[in-house]
Amino acid sequence: MIQSKLPSVGTTIFTTMSQLAAETGALNLSQGFPDFDGPDALREAVSRHVFSGHNQYAPMTGLPALREQVAIKLQRSYAVTVDPLTEITITPGATQGIFCAIHAVIRPGDEVIVFDPCYDSYEPATELAGGRCVHVQLDLNDFSIDWEKFEAALSPRTRMIVLNSPHNPSGALISRAELDRLATLIAGRDIYLVSDEVYEHLVFDGQPHVSVLAHPELYSRAFVVSSFGKTYHVTGWKTGYVVAPPALTAELRKVHQYVSFCGVTPLQYALADFMAASPEHVEELPAFYQAKRDLFCDLLAPSRFSFTRVAGTYFQLVDYSRIRPDLNDVEMSLWMTREHGVAAIPISVFYQQAPADQRLVRLCFAKREETLREAAAKLCAI
Ligand code: PMP
Ligand code: GLN
């Protein structure tokens, strides 16, 4: 009988809820993905490149033209200069980039600080590297970092900290002041960062995305990860990138070349073409998703759910205390899916130890207007 290396890992909540939505015919506002397609020009570029013979292995580090476009975008978005040759690596999805960054650094006995509720891939990646996650709960009201708890979690074994802003599942944004405080607390210590910024272009109400790339002190020890899937509405393409200083990039690539070697070639050509032709796409993204957030929240206003509009991501947390306080959030998500035709994600699954009285579920608003209207009508009827 095989002894599992990940005994506490089962099927992810995203798979479970998407399957249940499909079985029951519920509107799927659970797993985070758009129900609309990426730009026509981007999809046409893929077929062009497939038919023009770009079907063999891409360079291990990523197509030079795509790394060049990422560097141009980072200059435009954050006024930072990174070297596409030595600091940018294209990976088959952000998940793979995060996995490789963790494995490049973590050794048996090392500790990785993660902030709960936290995205589900950080802990298995850490455990497979022989490390251990130390969970620090974010503030229950606004999901900001609780510095007392953070300082209590720091130890001589702390080797890495995983940040995620905009934050899945809460939508909270990290501030420059928080990054400064973190930099002060870890100064002079042998600690690295993974900064998961896959929702970097989904920030609302005129707020900027505060990237670790633009914080030189933190960047000097960071792997900054993003995903083309979120930015170009193509989550199924599983293409992302990691930006890190040259010494860290060199170590990341040693892992990456044996986890997958390279990303998918025609997708990289297409993304490079599209980014060169349409640099405004990322600048238009906040308004595009803010309109969806606002439509959805306006439609939900008469419902019995309560909520504060999220600052970023394409997820809206809603509190259901006034509807079924007797149900925990897993039960509530199942009930909503089966009885009311809208699938949601419970947020307790993002915690090591979920707060007992939290009554929150996550709804994805990366959906067409008609889907949002139909879902809101069902939610208002609960
Ligand atoms: N990090 C977070 C916070 C996410 O929500 C996701 C999305 N699914 C990922 C990483 C993974 O991105 P990708 O699909 O490119 O692997
Ligand atoms: N990031 C997506 C979410 O939070 C899920 C990705 C996945 O299914 N692994 O919904």
Side-chain angles (χ1 to χ4, degrees):
M1 176 75 166
I2 188 165
Q3 205 184 348
S4 177
K5 292 184 72 180
L6 295 170
S8 52
V9 168
T11 308
T12 78
I13 190 69
F14 307 116
T15 302
T16 304
M17 293 311 300
S18 277
Q19 260 172 13
L20 186 64
E23 277 162 33
T24 58
L27 293 170
N28 190 1
L29 270 48
S30 65
Q31 191 178 22
F33 62 87
D35 72 346
F36 48 88
D37 254 328
D40 288 351
L42 176 60
R43 291 181 296 127
E44 281 159 11
V46 177
S47 84
R48 197 170 62 244
H49 285 289
V50 166
F51 281 97
S52 63
H54 288 141
N55 299 302
Q56 309 310 329
Y57 294 127
M60 181 273 280
T61 56
L63 200 72
L66 181 55
R67 284 183 283 134
E68 186 67 41
Q69 286 305 317
V70 170
I72 292 168
K73 183 198 80 164
L74 296 177
Q75 181 77 55
R76 274 174 73 115
S77 299
Y78 310 120
V80 295
T81 304
V82 299
D83 178 359
L85 283 181
T86 59
E87 293 178 90
I88 299 175
T89 308
I90 307 298
T91 59
T95 309
Q96 196 262 23
I98 293 165
F99 187 93
C100 293
I102 290 173
H103 278 257
V105 170
I106 296 305
R107 293 183 162 83
D110 285 344
E111 291 178 355
V112 176
I113 295 183
V114 297
F115 296 97
D116 280 3
C118 86
Y119 189 60
D120 66 346
S121 84
Y122 311 147
E123 186 149 29
T126 301
E127 291 183 352
L128 287 173
R132 185 175 82 86
C133 278
V134 175
H135 294 256
V136 174
Q137 238 179 51
L138 293 169
D139 183 281
L140 287 180
N141 294 313
D142 63 3
F143 297 92
S144 61
I145 295 175
D146 180 326
W147 293 102
E148 261 180 46
K149 289 194 175 127
F150 174 74
E151 285 191 55
L154 267 179
S155 91
R157 287 182 300 280
T158 309
R159 194 66 53 234
M160 189 171 249
I161 298 164
V162 183
L163 299 176
N164 172 215
S165 176
H167 179 246
N168 180 8
S170 76
L173 308 181
I174 207 158
S175 67
R176 173 78 199 193
E178 286 179 298
L179 291 190
D180 287 343
R181 189 154 180 182
L182 177 66
T184 307
L185 288 170
I186 63 174
R189 302 174 76 142
D190 188 23
I191 295 178
Y192 297 86
L193 298 181
V194 164
S195 186
D196 179 347
E197 304 185 10
V198 299
Y199 300 102
E200 62 180 320
H201 299 296
L202 279 61
V203 286
F204 311 132
D205 306 313
Q207 294 196 69
H209 166 60
V210 178
S211 176
V212 162
L213 290 168
H215 195 293
E217 223 176 311
L218 289 181
Y219 178 59
S220 70
R221 47 170 87 208
F223 299 87
V224 179
V225 184
S226 192
S227 172
F228 297 102
K230 318 288 170 190
T231 302
Y232 297 99
H233 317 308
V234 287
T235 59
W237 289 14
K238 292 301 294 188
T239 304
Y241 61 86
V242 181
V243 189
L248 298 189
T249 291
E251 292 307 311
L252 172 97
R253 288 174 177 175
K254 289 181 189 173
V255 182
H256 159 76
Q257 70 183 342
Y258 294 117
V259 172
S260 51
F261 188 73
C262 64
V264 178
T265 306
L267 302 183
Q268 295 189 52
Y269 273 98
L271 285 162
D273 285 359
F274 186 77
M275 288 177 81
S278 307
E280 72 289 351
H281 174 89
V282 294
E283 280 138 33
E284 291 166 1
L285 216 47
F288 174 81
Y289 270 116
Q290 185 172 328
K292 293 198 178 292
R293 178 201 66 173
D294 287 342
L295 171 70
F296 190 49
C297 288
D298 289 347
L299 292 166
L300 278 189
S303 77
R304 292 195 294 150
F305 291 96
S306 44
F307 55 87
T308 312
R309 285 169 202 238
V310 283
T313 76
Y314 48 43
F315 302 115
Q316 178 65 51
L317 288 186
V318 294
D319 186 307
Y320 60 89
S321 312
R322 286 189 292 176
I323 303 173
R324 288 298 303 268
D326 56 313
L327 299 183
N328 68 34
D329 62 356
V330 174
E331 294 164 343
M332 180 67 183
S333 299
L334 294 173
W335 183 72
M336 284 171 62
T337 310
R338 292 192 179 118
E339 307 296 327
H340 294 278
V342 180
I345 292 286
I347 78 157
S348 58
V349 298
F350 296 76
Y351 282 92
Q352 183 181 43
Q353 212 163 15
D357 47 0
Q358 208 168 46
R359 291 288 178 266
L360 293 171
V361 293
R362 190 195 81 176
L363 299 168
C364 175
F365 57 79
K367 305 293 167 192
R368 287 168 292 144
E369 181 173 336
E370 55 267 39
T371 311
L372 294 176
R373 287 188 183 282
E374 209 185 322
K378 290 176 189 285
L379 294 167
C380 285
I382 304 181

